[in-house]
Amino acid sequence: MPTVIVNDKPVEIGASEKLNCIEAAQRAGFEIPHYCYHPSLSVVASCRMCLVEVGDKKPDGTVAMQPKLVPGCQTPVKDGTVVISNSKKVADAQKATLEYLLLNHPLDCPTCDQAGECGLQDYSYKYGRGFSRLDEPKNIKPDKDYIGDQITLFTDRCIVCTRCVRFTREISGTAELQLVSRGSHEEIDIFPGEPCNNKLAGNVVDLCPVGALCSKDFLYEQRVWWLKTTKSVCSGCSSGCNITVDQNHDEVFRLKPRTNLQAQGYYMCDDGRFGWKYIHSDHRLQAPEERIDGRVASRDWDGVLPSAKTALTSAIQRKPKAVAAIFSPWMTVEEAYLLAKFLKDQSPDVTLALAPTRVEGEDDTYPKDVHGNPVQPVKFTIRAEKAPNRRGVEAVLKHFQGSLVPSSEVLSGLSSGTFDSLYLVESDPKARLAEAQAEGLKKARLLIVQGLLDSPAVKMAHYVLAAGSFAERDGTFINFAGLAQLIRRAVRGPGESRADNRILWDLASRTGLFNGPALRKEIAGEVAELAALAEEPGELGVFTGGEPAKV
């Protein structure tokens, strides 16, 4: 195996692997500081923060070092390459580079959104001088809040790493951002009349290593050290983008992408990034309800849930073929399994149906050319299928029902009298039964709605079970490619609402608290298509075909 020596530590690399010094050092457990380098972008070696000593180990064991420092991001390694990143020569270069980058940088740390997660702060502490020798006034440049609808630019904080420029040219392909002027007057700007409003624009904020590009949605909302971060998966479409949910006091403030090359890669779309506001909507259901003759009889879980279960089991015992349940493709695998198994254990004649998956247009691929046409190779895709777990719910329903029954059959059956009892799950924040569709529910002798937001069906329900958003639940989503990934509870729901898994766990009268790992093993043993869940999906997920996700 080819071997690279990093700070006297040998590291084996693959025979066909193409690594630079930064990547080889990471594998050896060493950090080479860098600003402009990003694994998904072209290499420009402009920040000069990653300067290292490089040489070659000869067959006789001697080492020939190059006389000058070289940028680690631009220097490939091979068998026998020697990299030194901890020498005095390297340290002096790092101090000089940081001093240069900080010459005109304002002392905005007390008010900057990036404070606490800033590359300049971190590297200044680890590698900097700790003082400045500049006696002249700083070069102050005007801020630009016109960069984009969701982006503002604090120009004087920019270190001109050009990550944002390369992103708009290489990933989104829309090329709104550019460098204008030269020398000390050089700065980021947009082409006149072309703000950075593409559907991936929010990623330039994540890419910015300092506090130059900031999100208007998050600007001055929270200090990052107050935020609690939970790893999860975006529920906006079937891509299954890995994300972190940042919250404080049970209020979500932002979603950020989390790298997973088997899912979405390094980025996420703005629809997912800013599409979580319904979590704190005034239209959220905040308590369960039991209604008798249209009047609320109870708003207590200890009364509503047992009563709903009694009514449901009685309806099944009376006429099982007249009872149906409509599942949502926004349910987790665990939730779908709990409800399906409970109902089929009562009677195999209960009908299980699936609500339609919301589809918006066609898959939107990036990068694009100047005319908006897709360009190959595709580097990011926004899926038209706006449901996070259609594949997972379908696998459960095919196992228990034998086939996929569309919800339209159940709704028409309610109108015709074929069905008279319905358990309806409404988890999609943008797709609930419309007024016209809900009219047929008036004929139902029993209507139980497990929902997230107020809807026409909720108004007609005999039992309302106030459920949770994706940020309030634990479970598994399976994306369009069959990658099973964990979502994790980040916040508590409003009022007396409960996570769907807890509602269905209690409905099925299972003992103790919801136990995700144990339940997934049970699912893997019963549903052949989901056998891969016998092993925990971990941070990066597991393909339901058995192939592990790797980075």
Side-chain angles (χ1 to χ4, degrees):
M1 291 285 287
T3 301
V4 178
I5 301 171
V6 183
N7 297 334
D8 297 325
K9 181 177 180 180
V11 180
E12 290 187 349
I13 63 174
S16 60
E17 274 192 295
K18 297 180 180 179
L19 303 181
N20 59 31
C21 294
I22 293 176
E23 294 167 319
Q26 287 175 341
R27 188 167 296 185
F30 296 101
E31 177 188 59
I32 295 179
H34 56 275
Y35 288 120
C36 66
Y37 171 72
H38 190 276
S40 73
L41 303 175
S42 60
V43 175
V44 292
S46 63
C47 74
R48 317 308 285 181
M49 194 66 212
C50 64
L51 294 176
V52 292
E53 293 188 76
V54 173
D56 289 303
K57 188 174 182 179
K58 303 300 181 182
D60 61 1
T62 62
V63 176
M65 300 298 293
Q66 297 182 25
K68 293 184 178 181
L69 299 178
V70 296
C73 64
Q74 202 177 36
T75 306
V77 297
K78 57 182 178 58
D79 186 33
T81 297
V82 177
V83 180
I84 299 175
S85 67
N86 58 3
S87 67
K88 183 179 184 303
K89 189 176 181 180
V90 172
D92 289 343
Q94 291 169 343
K95 289 179 182 179
T97 299
L98 275 170
E99 184 178 21
Y100 169 74
L101 292 175
L102 289 167
L103 282 181
N104 291 304
H105 196 81
L107 292 175
D108 285 352
C109 299
T111 60
C112 179
D113 269 4
Q114 194 78 359
E117 54 185 10
C118 174
L120 274 176
Q121 286 182 330
D122 294 342
Y123 288 167
S124 293
Y125 178 78
K126 292 180 181 179
Y127 309 106
R129 293 185 188 277
F131 61 90
S132 174
R133 295 177 291 178
L134 179 70
D135 292 328
E136 291 75 23
K138 289 180 180 287
N139 183 16
I140 304 300
K141 301 172 183 177
D143 299 336
K144 300 171 182 176
D145 63 357
Y146 57 80
I147 291 292
D149 291 345
Q150 296 288 353
I151 307 164
T152 188
L153 172 63
F154 294 90
T155 315
D156 51 358
R157 300 176 188 170
C158 179
I159 61 171
V160 200
C161 70
T162 71
R163 278 186 174 189
C164 58
V165 176
R166 283 176 284 148
F167 176 86
T168 60
R169 294 182 181 182
E170 300 167 13
I171 306 300
S172 70
T174 46
E176 301 96 339
L177 298 180
Q178 61 170 328
L179 277 173
V180 299
S181 301
R182 292 292 183 267
S184 62
H185 299 287
E186 192 174 45
E187 58 190 67
I188 302 293
D189 210 334
I190 58 172
F191 284 93
E194 297 290 339
C196 188
N197 289 332
N198 66 76
K199 292 185 178 180
L200 306 182
N203 291 290
V204 300
V205 176
D206 302 324
L207 282 170
C208 183
V210 295
L213 287 166
C214 292
S215 168
K216 292 179 179 178
D217 187 65
F218 183 68
L219 195 64
Y220 306 134
E221 288 290 328
Q222 281 279 299
R223 307 307 304 195
V224 298
W225 50 83
W226 296 123
L227 296 175
K228 289 82 175 175
T229 298
T230 304
K231 295 177 181 178
S232 191
V233 175
C234 178
S235 62
C237 75
S238 60
S239 288
C241 294
N242 284 216
I243 61 170
T244 56
V245 181
D246 290 341
Q247 61 87 18
N248 189 21
H249 298 303
D250 289 322
E251 181 179 356
V252 176
F253 284 96
R254 66 179 182 182
L255 305 184
K256 296 184 70 176
R258 180 168 54 93
T259 300
N260 187 347
L261 299 184
Q262 292 292 346
Q264 87 288 1
Y266 299 93
Y267 307 111
M268 69 184 297
C269 74
D270 283 5
D271 291 340
R273 183 186 299 272
F274 304 116
W276 51 267
K277 303 300 176 67
Y278 67 88
I279 294 175
H280 304 301
S281 169
D282 293 336
H283 299 288
R284 283 289 302 272
L285 301 178
Q286 300 202 20
E289 288 186 2
E290 177 185 358
R291 298 171 184 157
I292 301 175
D293 297 328
R295 301 177 64 180
V296 177
S298 174
R299 301 194 72 186
D300 178 72
W301 281 107
D302 292 337
V304 173
L305 195 56
S307 179
K309 180 180 179 180
T310 299
L312 184 59
T313 52
S314 297
I316 294 172
Q317 291 169 1
R318 184 186 74 252
K319 192 177 181 183
K321 291 185 177 180
V323 179
I326 296 179
F327 289 63
S328 167
W330 281 63
M331 299 173 76
T332 65
V333 170
E334 294 85 347
E335 292 158 6
Y337 176 82
L338 284 170
L339 181 56
K341 185 170 180 61
F342 168 71
L343 293 173
K344 286 297 187 179
D345 282 350
Q346 302 299 312
S347 171
D349 292 328
V350 175
T351 300
L352 309 181
L354 180 62
T357 299
R358 180 163 49 91
V359 176
E360 297 180 358
E362 299 178 347
D363 288 353
D364 190 12
T365 63
Y366 292 85
K368 299 183 183 297
D369 62 21
V370 293
H371 303 292
N373 301 313
V375 176
Q376 296 293 331
V378 173
K379 296 181 179 179
F380 191 89
T381 302
I382 303 174
R383 301 286 163 185
E385 183 183 62
K386 303 302 180 184
N389 193 34
R390 174 189 57 80
R391 284 191 58 158
V393 176
E394 283 185 354
V396 172
L397 293 184
K398 282 188 288 187
H399 172 76
F400 284 101
Q401 185 65 31
S403 62
L404 294 177
V405 179
S407 60
S408 57
E409 286 189 18
V410 172
L411 295 175
S412 61
L414 281 169
S415 300
S416 65
T418 304
F419 297 104
D420 63 14
S421 300
L422 176 64
Y423 192 110
L424 173 63
V425 181
E426 289 191 316
S427 301
D428 187 339
K430 293 185 178 180
R432 299 177 294 282
L433 290 184
E435 292 279 358
Q437 293 175 303
E439 279 298 312
L441 302 180
K442 291 181 178 179
K443 296 183 178 181
R445 293 180 60 177
L446 173 64
L447 176 60
I448 302 173
V449 178
Q450 177 183 316
L452 181 68
L453 299 162
D454 195 14
S455 71
V458 167
K459 291 180 172 62
M460 300 178 186
H462 302 107
Y463 295 92
V464 177
L465 306 179
S469 69
F470 81 96
E472 298 153 17
R473 295 145 58 195
D474 291 299
T476 307
F477 284 159
I478 300 177
N479 77 349
F480 76 99
L483 181 65
Q485 303 177 98
L486 297 179
I487 64 169
R488 296 178 176 86
R489 184 184 183 190
V491 296
R492 288 172 290 191
E496 296 300 316
S497 64
R498 284 186 178 179
D500 300 56
N501 48 38
R502 181 181 176 187
I503 294 172
L504 296 170
W505 186 272
D506 292 342
L507 181 71
S509 298
R510 293 191 173 228
T511 58
L513 300 175
F514 175 80
N515 187 331
L519 183 58
R520 282 187 283 275
K521 287 185 178 180
E522 179 184 332
I523 295 170
E526 185 161 345
V527 184
E529 190 174 336
L530 302 177
L533 295 182
E535 297 294 330
E536 275 297 279
E539 296 293 333
L540 302 177
V542 61
F543 281 100
T544 48
E547 180 184 348
K550 300 176 182 178
V551 167

